[in-house]
Amino acid sequence: MAGLIQVAVCTANMPRTIRTLVEVFGFSSAGGRPRWGEFAARLQELPSGDDTSVMLWWMLGRQEFVHIELFHHINPPQRPRPAGWRPSDLGWVRYGITVSDFDAVLERLSAAGESTLTDPVIVDGARRVCFRESGSDVIVEIIEETEETAVPGVRPGPAVSYAAVSVSDLEVARRQIREVFGFAEIASDALHRPEHEALWGLEGARRTCAVFQAGDVLLEVMEYEIPEPKAPHPDAPLSDQGFMNVAMGYRDRDELLRAREASERLAIRSTAGMPAVSGGFYLRLVDNLSVEMLLVPEQFASSYGFEPQELAPPGSPYVRT
């Protein structure tokens, strides 16, 4: 069964974003690597061809098969988020992190020079607040852990709790998510109610919503009426600053093949062929929305950023003390 295993963002300042995730939230490094050449360009549909060059890094919390992936594209050069962007605009718009030390996280966030968008609010007994991470310009919701909001894991640390997307047609998105990924829909207010739109600056917004159980992470799909969502420029590359996409993860190739066949029946476009052993391809769903389909058998976990690695050897002067 597939699960939402990755939140991928493009940051203009990778060291700052890594530092925020490590020192403010307590994520662990899972290493990183450069990517270059024609295949990288074809996978992400970039105009730079064989001259493509990009650096990526992975950050791990408590979940076994969930991480945050950070990109910084050198060629094509990363472009900043368009002025006037709002979290109702079409595409991936925000994600949530559940923490057990809410007060300490807010103290560290302030010390790191980041500001919350509002004061914390209480939602079903747990405090929540959002900030716009400086490097990626992505809205991140911080959720206080309680018995009701707890996310299971295999090690200490924070958890990626949800990813949210704005679409132009909720019914089309519902069908694609059910038929391709097989996710079950749960209560539409399982994460947020309309009044919580104020947390990310959309007080008074009118929208419909569907929420899916996507493994250990929830998937929230919004169709906004007010404010009217803007579509990204049709030529906007995935290398632009912001929330690039999410990945759906598979351990078994046959399950991934079944998902690909379901996507083909719905005429959903793919950017690459089926991986033979491991790896992936991107699908383009409603509104040209990017979703990576990633095959990671357990023996390849480290190669794809699902096992922690030290940022520097113990005793190194690069280790922060």
Side-chain angles (χ1 to χ4, degrees), residues 198-266:
L199 281 167
W200 41 87
L202 294 181
E203 185 174 4
R206 289 167 52 184
R207 84 293 193 274
T208 52
C209 174
V211 180
F212 297 85
Q213 187 69 55
D216 288 339
V217 180
L218 296 181
L219 172 59
E220 186 174 44
V221 187
M222 321 291 293
E223 181 182 340
Y224 283 92
E225 179 184 355
I226 298 175
E228 183 177 355
K230 293 186 296 185
H233 190 280
D235 297 326
L238 290 180
S239 53
D240 284 355
Q241 183 188 34
F243 194 160
M244 174 192 281
N245 63 13
V246 301
M248 307 306 180
Y250 298 80
R251 298 292 197 188
D252 182 83
R253 188 177 186 274
D254 288 342
E255 289 187 6
L256 177 57
L257 180 58
R258 285 191 288 271
R260 185 182 181 96
E261 291 171 345
S263 73
E264 290 170 348
R265 288 193 295 271
L266 294 175

Side-chain angles (χ1 to χ4, degrees), residues 7-321:
V7 165
V9 304
C10 294
T11 174
N13 189 334
M14 187 174 285
R16 180 184 176 95
T17 302
I18 291 174
R19 184 173 183 178
T20 296
L21 292 172
V22 170
E23 295 189 355
V24 174
F25 289 96
F27 282 90
S28 300
S29 168
R33 61 193 60 193
R35 289 278 190 260
W36 63 81
E38 179 63 36
F39 178 75
R42 182 158 33 92
L43 189 67
Q44 296 186 347
E45 299 184 301
L46 302 175
S48 41
D50 196 52
D51 292 330
T52 298
S53 59
V54 56
M55 190 67 194
L56 65 85
W57 206 273
W58 297 297
M59 307 303 300
L60 273 177
R62 74 177 67 164
Q63 294 138 300
E64 180 180 16
F65 196 28
V66 177
H67 66 196
I68 298 173
E69 184 174 59
L70 307 177
F71 283 95
H72 182 81
H73 290 78
I74 308 301
N75 193 32
Q78 184 186 94
R79 302 184 308 183
R81 170 92 78 181
W85 176 88
R86 293 184 295 187
S88 53
D89 290 344
L90 300 182
W92 296 100
V93 292
R94 56 186 157 82
Y95 69 95
I97 298 175
T98 296
V99 299
S100 58
D101 52 347
F102 187 87
D103 290 314
V105 166
L106 292 196
E107 289 179 8
R108 295 193 294 265
L109 190 72
S110 177
E114 299 278 16
S115 301
T116 61
L117 300 179
T118 67
D119 291 332
V121 301
I122 297 176
V123 180
D124 299 328
R127 290 173 293 173
R128 299 185 182 200
V129 74
C130 292
F131 77 106
R132 201 158 163 169
E133 194 274 316
S134 297
S136 63
D137 200 28
V138 170
I139 293 174
V140 182
E141 183 174 8
I142 307 169
I143 301 172
E144 182 178 29
E145 184 170 29
T146 64
E147 289 185 5
E148 289 72 26
T149 61
V151 178
V154 297
R155 53 186 160 254
V160 177
S161 51
Y162 78 86
V165 62
S166 171
V167 299
S168 64
D169 192 322
L170 183 57
E171 291 311 309
V172 171
R174 270 193 170 110
R175 183 183 180 195
Q176 293 177 339
I177 291 165
R178 286 196 304 258
E179 295 190 21
V180 177
F181 312 126
F183 297 152
E185 189 169 348
I186 61 176
S188 62
D189 61 355
L191 274 168
H192 302 103
R193 296 183 291 274
E195 63 266 27
H196 302 141
E197 294 284 332
L199 281 167
W200 41 87
L202 294 181
E203 185 174 4
R206 289 167 52 184
R207 84 293 193 274
T208 52
C209 174
V211 180
F212 297 85
Q213 187 69 55
D216 288 339
V217 180
L218 296 181
L219 172 59
E220 186 174 44
V221 187
M222 321 291 293
E223 181 182 340
Y224 283 92
E225 179 184 355
I226 298 175
E228 183 177 355
K230 293 186 296 185
H233 190 280
D235 297 326
L238 290 180
S239 53
D240 284 355
Q241 183 188 34
F243 194 160
M244 174 192 281
N245 63 13
V246 301
M248 307 306 180
Y250 298 80
R251 298 292 197 188
D252 182 83
R253 188 177 186 274
D254 288 342
E255 289 187 6
L256 177 57
L257 180 58
R258 285 191 288 271
R260 185 182 181 96
E261 291 171 345
S263 73
E264 290 170 348
R265 288 193 295 271
L266 294 175
I268 294 172
R269 185 166 57 86
S270 170
T271 64
M274 273 288 296
V277 178
S278 67
F281 52 90
Y282 288 22
L283 295 180
R284 292 296 192 139
L285 307 185
V286 60
D287 305 316
N288 209 31
L289 185 72
S290 175
V291 173
E292 185 176 10
M293 306 291 277
L294 189 57
L295 175 63
V296 186
E298 290 188 19
Q299 65 267 34
F300 295 105
S302 179
S303 299
Y304 288 89
F306 292 102
E307 291 183 357
Q309 298 181 17
E310 292 288 344
L311 277 169
S316 164
Y318 294 103
V319 175
R320 183 175 173 85
T321 57

